[in-house]
């Protein structure tokens, strides 16, 4: 009986007329869903075919469905078609002024690779891909600096210049410069406007940028009261292990900087170089200069003299520490730090110069003994140059080394050639040392950079291979074109000057061959007013001559250099008559 009861209960709760329609509706819904999803999936696949999504255009060119290489080719073809338009000048308007900008002059161009990358990254929705045409703007490149220069040259000063805040010192009196806002032509803004408008627009408007300095007038007044004025109220004492160093108000004023940055913000600082310069000779009281290693001749042989460390005040740290005490008007003391100062040339560097042997030597003679003014000048310049080391690749300038030769350096009046005649002049005779040095470097095979023979030939010099000097117009220069250092050694006697070059030999020999003298001219007689400035001469023939410097190595001639000079005939000057 129970099974029959159960069946009756099931039949009564689930009648056949309710169950069958529900199944039919489920089957219909599944069919509809399948019908909808099948074309949508196909649409998605279609829209995402290729690296560039379907329908994407750039400059009117459909790049959709293409890979990047093909899209780049299509875009380049369109740019080539538009080449004439793209090369045409663009009108740029700034306020009421215009400029014609040549695209090639400012690097204005479509960046094809970047544009294709942007097109490939474009991700519009599925239905936009199917039914729309999404447009991607071209990526435009422009040289911001060249564009800014071109615009400024064309439109000049536009807008209102910004007045940057500052505080300057008139002696030790601080003077404020208050900020003023402005409207300026900004390079980044101009470049952005051109990128956005070109190439579709033939005229682009560049707006001016409103600039407001970050430091206000109130900020400037506060800096005046809290730092600028108390900073110069008195000296600051720097204490070191070698004693105290006073920093006077004048040095503070010269090194304390209140200049604004690009944003118009003032960050006070102490300029280290200006501080060292302002302290001047006072630094010698606490600093010890380092000594470079060098090479000297000891017993006729090169010897390395070791360098020594020095001590230097750490003015970079001092500048930072000064800012902490400058706002105060009392208790103005700062601890200074002395750091090791290393020589510019170390012992190892001096040894590596390869100064091992005497490469050349040259001597010229003079008269009058060492007490004569001319002889004094020769010895003075020789002493100045003695021991000079010329590094590999370095050019030596005699004028640059000695500076102007004057009475203060110990030079005296002696005959010099001025306006074609001998007259007394400070430093007369230094040309003889110049000729001696020139020949020493000449026979060492070093590169001749600058020299000029005398206008008249003097028998104490070799013809053609000699040089005069006159500060600052006439100089003697040579370049050390060897891989070794060059040491200049000078020595003298009562009637001669000698210059020797020490290094490492490059050539077996360097010699001179002279050609015959030609175009010989005879001196004329010239009468001069008698007096202390008149120097009589016997006259010297004029002539033209050639000389060849010949380099030999391993028994062979490597090369030869030709030198030529035309000497004027020195007149026979007669004082009076």
């Amino acid at each position: 009986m129970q099974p029959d009861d159960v069946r009756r209960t099931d039949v009564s709760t689930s009648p056949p007329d309710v169950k069958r329609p529900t199944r039919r509706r489920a089957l219909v819904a599944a069919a509809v869903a399948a019908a909808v999803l099948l074309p949508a999936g196909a649409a998605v696949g279609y829209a995402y075919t290729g690296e560039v999504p379907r329908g994407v255009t750039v400059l009117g060119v459909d790049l959709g469905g293409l890979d990047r290489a093909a899209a780049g080719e299509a875009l380049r073809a369109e740019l080539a078609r538009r080449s004439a338009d793209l090369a045409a000048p663009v009108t740029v308007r700034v306020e009421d002024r215009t400029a014609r900008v040549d695209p090639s002059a400012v690097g204005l161009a479509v960046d094809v690779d970047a544009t294709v990358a942007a097109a490939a990254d474009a991700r519009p929705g599925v239905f936009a891909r199917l039914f729309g045409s999404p447009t991607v703007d071209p990526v435009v490149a422009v040289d911001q600096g060249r564009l800014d220069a071109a615009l400024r040259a064309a439109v000049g000063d536009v807008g209102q210049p910004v007045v940057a805040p500052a505080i300057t010192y008139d002696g030790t009196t601080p003077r404020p410069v208050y900020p003023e806002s402005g409207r300026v032509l900004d390079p980044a803004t101009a470049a952005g406007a051109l990128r956005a408008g070109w190439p579709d627009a033939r005229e682009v408007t560049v707006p001016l940028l409103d600039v407001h300095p970050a430091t206000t007038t109130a900020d400037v007044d506060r800096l005046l009261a809290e730092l600028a004025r108390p900073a110069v109220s008195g000296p600051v004492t720097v204490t070191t292990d070698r004693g105290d160093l006073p920093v006077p108000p004048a040095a503070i004023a010269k090194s304390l900087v209140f200049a604004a940055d690009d944003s118009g913000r003032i960050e006070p600082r102490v300029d280290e170089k200006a501080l060292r310069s302002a302290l001047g000779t006072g630094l010698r009281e606490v600093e010890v200069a380092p000594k470079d290693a060098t090479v000297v001749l000891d017993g006729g042989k090169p010897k390395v003299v070791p360098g020594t460390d020095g001590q230097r005040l750490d003015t970079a740290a001092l500048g930072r520490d000064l800012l902490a005490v400058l706002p105060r008007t009392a208790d103005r003391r700062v601890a200074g730090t002395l750091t090791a100062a290393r020589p510019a040339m170390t012992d190892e560097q001096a040894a590596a110069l390869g100064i091992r042997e005497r490469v050349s030597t040259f001597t010229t003679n003079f008269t009058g003994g060492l007490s004569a003014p001319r002889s004094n000048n020769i010895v003075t310049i020789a002493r100045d140059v003695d021991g000079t080391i010329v590094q590999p690749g370095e050019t030596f300038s005699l004028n640059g080394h000695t500076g102007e030769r004057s009475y203060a350096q110990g030079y005296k009046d002696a005959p010099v050639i001025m306006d074609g005649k001998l007259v007394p002049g400070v430093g007369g005779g230094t040309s003889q040392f110049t000729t001696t040095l020139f020949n020493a470097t000449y026979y060492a095979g070093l590169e001749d950079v600058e020299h000029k023979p005398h206008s008249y030939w003097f028998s104490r010099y070799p013809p053609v291979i000699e040089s005069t000097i006159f500060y600052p117009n006439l100089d003697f220069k040579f370049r050390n074109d060897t891989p070794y250092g060059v040491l200049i050694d000078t020595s003298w006697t009562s009637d001669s000057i000698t210059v020797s070059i020490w290094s490492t030999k490059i050539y077996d020999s360097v010699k001179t061959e002279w050609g015959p003298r030609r175009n010989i001219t005879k001196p004329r007689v010239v009468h001069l007013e008698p007096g202390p400035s008149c120097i009589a001469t016997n006259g010297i023939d004029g002539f033209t001559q050639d000389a060849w410097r010949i380099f030999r190595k391993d028994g062979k001639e490597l090369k030869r250099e030709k030198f030529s000079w035309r000497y004027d005939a020195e007149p026979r000057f007669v004082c009076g008559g």
Side-chain angles (χ1 to χ4, degrees), residues 207-221:
L208 296 180
L209 182 67
D210 291 327
V211 179
H212 308 283
T215 296
T216 65
T217 297
D219 293 331
V220 173
D221 286 335

Side-chain angles (χ1 to χ4, degrees), residues 387-460:
T388 298
I389 292 178
V390 184
Q391 299 278 352
E394 182 182 359
T395 296
F396 174 87
S397 160
L398 188 52
N399 277 341
H401 182 85
T402 67
E404 185 174 5
R405 295 167 288 277
S406 63
Y407 300 121
Q409 294 171 289
Y411 292 95
K412 300 180 179 180
D413 284 331
V416 297
I417 300 177
M418 292 288 290
D419 298 327
K421 61 180 181 292
L422 290 174
V423 297
V426 62
T430 53
S431 288
Q432 177 153 357
F433 174 80
T434 307
T435 288
T436 311
L437 176 61
F438 169 54
N439 274 266
T441 61
Y442 171 96
Y443 285 107
L446 299 171
E447 179 183 341
D448 173 43
V449 176
E450 178 183 343
H451 83 280
K452 183 178 181 181
H454 289 78
S455 54
Y456 306 136
W457 177 63
F458 302 104
S459 59
R460 57 180 173 268

Side-chain angles (χ1 to χ4, degrees), residues 124-172:
V126 171
F127 290 98
R129 293 171 183 271
L130 293 173
F131 306 110
S133 298
T135 299
V136 173
D137 292 330
V139 178
V140 176
V142 63
D143 188 310
Q144 183 172 300
R146 287 157 57 188
L147 173 62
D148 183 57
L151 290 180
R152 292 183 187 280
V155 303
D157 295 329
V158 292
Q160 178 67 35
V162 177
V163 176
I167 298 175
T168 61
Y169 281 97
D170 181 5
T172 56

